[in-house]
Amino acid sequence: MEFASYLAGEKWSDHPSCTHPALAVLARLVNDCTPDQHRSELVELIPSVIGLTSDDPRLELRIALRAATAALPIASEGRQRALAVGIIATQSQLAIIEPHTDDDLADLVTAAFAQAPASEFWARKFSADCPDNGRGRRPRDVTRMTQSIIRSSVIGIACACSPGADQRLKALLQSAIDDCRMLVENDTTDIRSISAEVATMAATSRPKSLLATLLRS
């Protein structure tokens, strides 16, 4: 995210305005939880996060839902219940905004719950006992909820007793980027332009030192 802020011409920061806060949270967590020897593989995704921001309330919900469905099947049993509740609450919020959605996220939820049926059962009972069932939250509360889900999901994947955590994390980030691009409808010409700029800058000494600093952090 720091290198993205640099390429976007913003003040050096890991919270650049050029990227939606929920996507930035996911990117920072994936970066922090990726082993040093594999962190360089994330560099190719840097241009993709630039310009992906919107006031669309669906965006943070979709990112959180995708993260939770990726983590639920492999997370520890104690974390699975929280993730399952998060999936149900996130779906409930999305149903208010787009009640007739038809995309791959519904299939991902079904597949994730099929691999953790006990957690789904517990979460549905827990959610049914809640007065509002997670509906009608204020925007600030929704943001707190989605960021908590994203954080728990990434840590759940990173700490899971399952091989290939780094590849799973990168795939999750790529999927979230694709979701954001679909909603934001970012200009692909700008994306190609930024990608070309990254390639050009990588040939100079300064960006190399910047990248080296990022990869060590």
Side-chain angles (χ1 to χ4, degrees):
M1 293 313 305
E2 290 173 328
F3 200 60
S5 71
Y6 171 77
L7 292 176
E10 296 187 25
K11 181 180 179 181
W12 184 266
S13 169
D14 62 354
H15 290 66
S17 62
C18 64
T19 304
H20 190 280
L23 182 59
V25 166
L26 177 62
R28 287 193 297 272
L29 286 166
V30 168
N31 177 79
D32 293 346
C33 291
T34 297
D36 292 344
Q37 64 269 31
H38 295 292
R39 193 168 293 142
S40 60
E41 298 172 14
L42 300 176
V43 172
E44 65 189 58
L45 299 181
I46 293 174
S48 302
V49 304
I50 300 174
L52 291 185
T53 187
S54 169
D55 294 328
D56 191 328
R58 295 174 297 171
L59 203 150
E60 61 182 335
L61 290 166
R62 290 179 66 92
I63 293 174
L65 187 56
R66 184 172 289 279
T69 55
L72 180 64
I74 62 172
S76 63
E77 184 177 356
R79 196 179 297 276
Q80 281 183 330
R81 289 185 173 184
L83 289 172
V85 170
I87 289 174
I88 294 170
T90 304
Q91 276 193 308
S92 179
Q93 289 293 318
L94 273 173
I96 299 174
I97 303 170
E98 47 178 3
H100 303 297
T101 182
D102 181 20
D103 56 30
D104 69 322
L105 280 179
D107 294 335
L108 290 176
V109 170
T110 300
F113 278 150
Q115 297 178 73
S119 296
E120 179 189 10
F121 178 81
W122 185 93
R124 292 202 182 281
K125 185 178 184 303
F126 176 87
S127 299
D129 291 338
C130 295
D132 64 354
N133 197 26
R135 299 173 70 89
R137 298 173 185 264
R138 293 177 298 179
R140 184 167 57 183
D141 294 333
V142 171
T143 295
R144 289 196 185 115
M145 177 187 75
T146 54
Q147 293 192 358
S148 177
I149 293 171
I150 292 168
R151 184 174 298 105
S152 184
S153 299
V154 172
I155 295 174
I157 294 172
C159 297
C161 296
S162 178
D166 49 315
Q167 288 88 356
R168 291 177 186 269
L169 290 174
K170 182 182 178 183
L172 169 58
L173 180 55
Q174 180 64 73
S175 297
I177 290 171
D178 293 340
D179 276 348
C180 291
R181 183 178 291 112
M182 179 185 67
L183 291 179
V184 176
E185 295 181 348
N186 197 55
D187 189 321
T188 57
T189 301
D190 291 342
I191 294 290
R192 287 195 297 269
S193 175
I194 294 169
S195 299
E197 182 179 355
V198 172
T200 300
M201 293 175 64
T204 68
S205 58
R206 186 183 180 193
K208 282 184 178 179
S209 63
L210 288 172
L211 278 173
T213 300
L214 287 176
L215 297 176
R216 287 195 301 269
S217 64

